[in-house]
Amino acid sequence: VKIRSQIASNLDLRIGNIATPLIKNINPDNVPILTIGFNSKVLSQNKVRSLAIDIMNELKKVPQVANLDVHGGEKKALRIILDPAALKLRRISVTEVKQAIVANNLKIQAGLIKNGFNTHLIEVDGTFLTPQTAANILILPGIKLSDLAKIEESYTEKTSFVWVAHSNKSPQSSYYSDS
């Protein structure tokens, strides 16, 4: 409170286009105490990401572990390639297909469970995880997504870059995201 009032009382001293300072509270539980970098000369970045997620899932089982994140590589995603001829034949618009996909691919936060030092987010995950589950989405009565599109496993588009550089003194990790 003292810092905020001191800054507020001196805002008139700003010169030029200096923006109002942004003051945030920091939760010590959200500050990393350990950053681990993984790389491979043989595995793709997406395979390294997949293995890092497996390790993260094991570390989540350790008592009093607060937050774990994986950065780098792309997330798994399904690529849906619509067949324009099939859409035209059945008189179905891209918008109708999109609405059916969105309606069947929901992930909803249901609440929190607090247990001592740990807080667990509860989610209801109704997302489809495989091309087979996506293929069975009903677009209109009697018409499934597989009747209108090719569905394949893929990855999201690249939106961030992560690299780990080693020097003689210590490893350094960097993370950049444009999203």
Side-chain angles (χ1 to χ4, degrees):
V1 176
K2 289 180 184 180
I3 292 174
R4 289 179 195 269
S5 62
Q6 186 68 33
I7 290 173
S9 68
N10 288 291
L11 286 177
D12 59 325
L13 300 175
R14 291 181 296 166
I15 300 171
N17 285 337
I18 297 175
T20 303
L22 175 62
I23 302 170
K24 293 174 139 182
N25 291 330
I26 296 176
N27 180 346
D29 289 338
N30 294 333
V31 177
I33 59 167
L34 178 65
T35 300
I36 303 172
F38 296 93
N39 63 18
S40 174
K41 291 182 180 179
V42 252
L43 301 174
S44 72
Q45 66 177 350
N46 294 328
K47 182 60 179 171
V48 171
R49 176 186 174 84
S50 179
L51 294 170
I53 288 171
D54 292 343
I55 292 168
M56 179 185 74
N57 289 333
E58 288 301 312
L59 289 173
K60 283 181 178 179
K61 298 174 185 175
V62 176
Q64 298 183 0
V65 169
N67 297 315
L68 298 169
D69 294 309
V70 172
H71 299 282
E74 283 71 57
K75 295 179 181 177
K76 288 185 178 181
L78 295 181
R79 178 170 289 135
I80 299 171
I81 305 162
L82 294 173
D83 179 352
L87 291 170
K88 187 175 181 180
L89 176 70
R90 293 172 176 86
R91 296 183 177 166
I92 297 174
S93 71
V94 173
T95 301
E96 289 173 301
V97 174
K98 181 181 175 186
Q99 288 171 342
I101 292 170
V102 169
N104 285 280
N105 195 35
L106 298 175
K107 190 171 191 175
I108 301 168
Q109 292 185 2
L112 297 172
I113 295 178
K114 293 183 179 180
N115 180 12
F117 293 106
N118 297 321
T119 301
H120 303 279
L121 174 65
I122 305 300
E123 293 179 333
V124 177
D125 191 349
T127 57
F128 38 82
L129 303 173
T130 67
Q132 295 77 21
T133 56
N136 290 321
I137 292 175
L138 199 59
I139 305 300
L140 290 174
I143 302 174
K144 296 187 284 186
L145 183 58
S146 60
D147 299 326
L148 306 170
K150 178 181 173 185
I151 305 154
E152 52 192 40
E153 290 185 21
S154 185
Y155 294 93
T156 59
E157 292 182 25
K158 184 178 287 299
T159 60
S160 63
F161 301 90
V162 175
W163 64 93
V164 177
H166 297 275
S167 68
N168 291 337
K169 296 179 182 173
S170 65
Q172 299 170 346
S173 178
S174 298
Y175 172 68
Y176 165 78
S177 176
D178 63 359
S179 56

